[in-house]
Amino acid sequence: MYPHVDDYSNPVWPATKGVTAHHLGSKSVREDYSVQFPFESEDFIDGEYDLNEDNCNAMQINKPPEVNLKNVLGGLVAILTGRSKGPSVPMNQQLPSSNVSFLGSEKNGDTYLHSSVYIPSAPPLLEPSGINYIAYKEVLEAEPPEWLPDSSTTVCMQCTAPFTALTRGRHHCRLCGGVFCRACTKGRCLLPVKFRERNPQRVCDACYDRLDPLQGILINTISNAVQVAKHDVMDWTCSRGWLNLPVGLSMEHEIYKASNTLKSYGQVARMNPDRSIPLAVLKGAKGLAILTVAKAGALVAYKIGTGLVVARRSNGSWSAPSAICSVGLGWGAQIGGELMDYIIVLHDMKAVKTFCSRMHFSLGAGCSAAAGPVGRVLEADLRAGDRGSGMCYTYSCSKGAFVGVSLEGNIVATRMDANLKFYGDPYLTTNDILLGTADRPKAAQPLYAALEDLYSSLGC
């Protein structure tokens, strides 16, 4: 056997078992690189493989048995005697299988579903088996702290930044009572029951992390939305029943104003159907926006007001309300001042999506005539926002002394602060309220009752 010469003039000898010549530079280094064969050299004798019994058994485990007279007779005997001649596996040598088992066996031989399949891996929040149950319980049962005096520290208790008169003022965390800067108290959370606060309060970052997992529980128990409506009297014995104010400071006030407006329209529909909203328009409405707006001026009129919007779901029920505000200008042959209760009919889903925008614009033309306690305003306008655009029809009753024809322009914005104080959920969007699955709040029950009365009075 002659060596083969490669391109580098280094002899490369055929590899023998266990040894290979390898050159590094000019110095030969012998290393032990074993060449693996299917069987060891002891099993290879005289050019044939000497397969012992273990190797044969290993190879035949996954190989079907040979069909011959001996195996057929053996199989019949095994069937008659009830014995199996399958390959036996030692106890310490299990066949490869999955390490996941969903079934267990009882002593009597019956099988049952393992408990790990149907028991949830994470226990519910308030069950005693929860990991953080004790910590959550301490937070839910916490009592109002005694606030630290402003003079107790000159720096923020979290970021240690010094307080200044203009750029960095002092703020107290409502849960722990510590003094922090504005940057370290950005969070707003509902507080436990003993604090007697239904609006989200300012808390520090550390307390926000403690309260955030419990917000779902607090929203469903102490928020303003789940309380019974306090203002539900709308007759002459209640001062609010006489006149709707143009600006409502809370969602509860907006619900009362909207209910009073719908009740007034219901009375008009019963006494004089010709002056009410047409039945066909009201039947096809996909939503209603109800506002009270004050308007005054000569040639140029200024408008401001607040209200709410509700959408009609596919099953015929009404969604939760979302608070809105409106400011605008009117230009034309007009003079005087009036207080108007608007009902804006959203006749398609495009118009509803327009009110889901954080802010949208409206442009339209209308005529107003008010003299004394009752007047009428009819308008048709086009509204456009970042969620779409749509046509709306506006019907209103007005009080005051005003006459004119004008071109109207308005900016309507969603009152995110009012929604947050009412629902208590900072992650709830207008789209979730009007088009989502947000539950109808208990505090809005007078509004839903007024809607049912209005539709029943028109025979819808």
Side-chain angles (χ1 to χ4, degrees):
M1 183 182 295
Y2 294 94
H4 170 71
V5 180
D6 61 6
D7 295 339
Y8 297 97
S9 301
N10 290 329
V12 180
W13 295 88
T16 59
K17 181 191 174 187
V19 178
T20 299
H22 182 70
H23 292 272
L24 294 176
S26 61
K27 183 178 180 180
S28 177
V29 179
R30 296 175 63 85
E31 297 183 1
D32 185 29
Y33 290 101
S34 299
V35 179
Q36 300 294 332
F37 292 97
F39 302 96
E40 296 296 335
S41 60
E42 291 80 8
D43 300 331
F44 186 80
I45 302 173
D46 297 333
E48 296 180 351
Y49 285 106
D50 182 15
L51 300 178
N52 54 29
E53 185 178 359
D54 295 337
N55 292 331
C56 291
N57 292 336
M59 295 180 63
Q60 292 178 0
I61 289 177
N62 297 325
K63 182 179 179 181
E66 183 181 357
V67 179
N68 51 36
L69 183 59
K70 180 182 177 180
N71 290 340
V72 172
L73 294 177
L76 293 175
V77 172
I79 294 174
L80 294 175
T81 58
R83 293 178 298 175
S84 176
K85 295 188 64 177
S88 60
V89 180
M91 295 298 294
N92 57 355
Q93 183 181 357
Q94 299 292 334
L95 292 176
S97 61
S98 172
N99 59 355
V100 179
S101 177
F102 299 104
L103 297 177
S105 59
E106 296 180 348
K107 293 181 180 180
N108 57 3
D110 296 336
T111 59
Y112 63 93
L113 190 64
H114 198 271
S115 61
S116 62
V117 177
Y118 56 85
I119 294 179
S121 57
L125 180 63
L126 292 182
E127 285 192 1
S129 56
I131 298 176
N132 297 326
Y133 170 75
I134 297 177
Y136 293 150
K137 183 179 179 182
E138 291 179 354
V139 175
L140 289 174
E141 296 179 354
E143 296 186 358
E146 190 170 334
W147 284 11
L148 295 177
D150 292 340
S151 59
S152 60
T153 179
T154 59
V155 298
C156 175
M157 298 178 65
Q158 179 171 318
C159 65
T160 67
F163 293 119
T164 59
L166 298 177
T167 60
R168 189 177 291 109
R170 291 174 169 84
H171 297 277
H172 281 87
C173 172
R174 270 56 175 178
L175 183 64
C176 66
V179 183
F180 303 89
C181 65
R182 185 183 184 87
C184 296
T185 55
K186 292 181 178 179
R188 300 292 186 274
C189 288
L190 290 173
L191 299 180
V193 179
K194 295 183 179 179
F195 283 70
R196 297 183 178 275
E197 288 286 350
R198 302 196 187 280
N199 297 331
Q201 301 294 316
R202 180 191 295 269
V203 294
C204 64
D205 294 344
C207 292
Y208 183 88
D209 294 338
R210 298 173 61 193
L211 287 169
D212 188 60
L214 302 173
Q215 289 303 291
I217 299 172
L218 298 176
I219 288 172
N220 294 324
T221 54
I222 68 169
S223 65
N224 291 308
V226 300
Q227 308 303 316
V228 178
K230 298 179 287 292
H231 310 304
D232 58 352
V233 178
M234 303 171 193
D235 56 17
W236 62 274
T237 62
C238 180
S239 60
R240 295 185 183 90
W242 289 78
L243 191 67
N244 282 340
L245 297 179
V247 177
L249 300 180
S250 63
M251 178 69 84
E252 293 87 343
H253 194 187
E254 298 297 347
I255 291 172
Y256 182 87
K257 288 166 49 183
S259 303
N260 196 16
T261 299
L262 292 172
K263 183 180 177 182
S264 300
Y265 267 87
Q267 293 175 350
V268 172
R270 285 188 290 269
M271 293 185 299
N272 191 352
D274 295 336
R275 301 187 62 183
S276 65
I277 302 175
L279 178 60
V281 174
L282 200 59
K283 266 183 134 178
K286 299 299 182 181
L288 296 175
I290 308 165
L291 302 93
T292 302
V293 177
K295 179 179 179 181
L299 297 180
V300 178
Y302 302 91
K303 300 192 297 183
I304 185 172
T306 61
L308 55 82
V309 58
V310 290
R312 200 160 197 179
R313 294 173 174 168
S314 57
N315 59 0
S317 63
W318 294 95
S319 70
S322 175
I324 56 176
C325 65
S326 175
V327 294
L329 293 173
W331 179 84
Q334 55 186 344
I335 187 172
E338 60 182 341
L339 188 66
M340 298 174 292
D341 292 325
Y342 281 113
I343 293 183
I344 303 174
V345 179
L346 315 180
H347 71 283
D348 57 10
M349 292 306 299
K350 290 184 179 180
V352 176
K353 291 180 180 179
T354 302
F355 277 86
C356 291
S357 306
R358 194 178 185 91
M359 181 182 297
H360 71 269
F361 302 90
S362 70
L363 182 66
C367 59
S368 300
V374 178
R376 289 178 60 83
V377 177
L378 302 177
E379 293 181 5
D381 53 13
L382 174 65
R383 297 176 180 269
D386 56 359
R387 296 294 179 90
S389 61
M391 288 289 297
C392 300
Y393 301 105
T394 302
Y395 300 86
S396 65
C397 286
S398 57
K399 303 176 181 67
F402 193 93
V403 63
V405 178
S406 64
L407 181 66
E408 305 287 342
N410 301 279
I411 298 176
V412 180
T414 301
R415 297 176 60 187
M416 304 300 295
D417 57 336
N419 288 343
L420 174 60
K421 291 179 180 179
F422 183 67
Y423 293 102
D425 188 356
Y427 304 107
L428 192 66
T429 63
T430 310
N431 195 75
D432 298 331
I433 296 173
L434 298 180
L435 303 178
T437 58
D439 295 334
R440 301 198 330 180
K442 186 186 297 185
Q445 188 58 39
L447 173 65
Y448 301 127
L451 285 169
E452 292 179 2
D453 291 342
L454 175 64
Y455 272 74
S456 63
S457 64
L458 295 176
C460 297

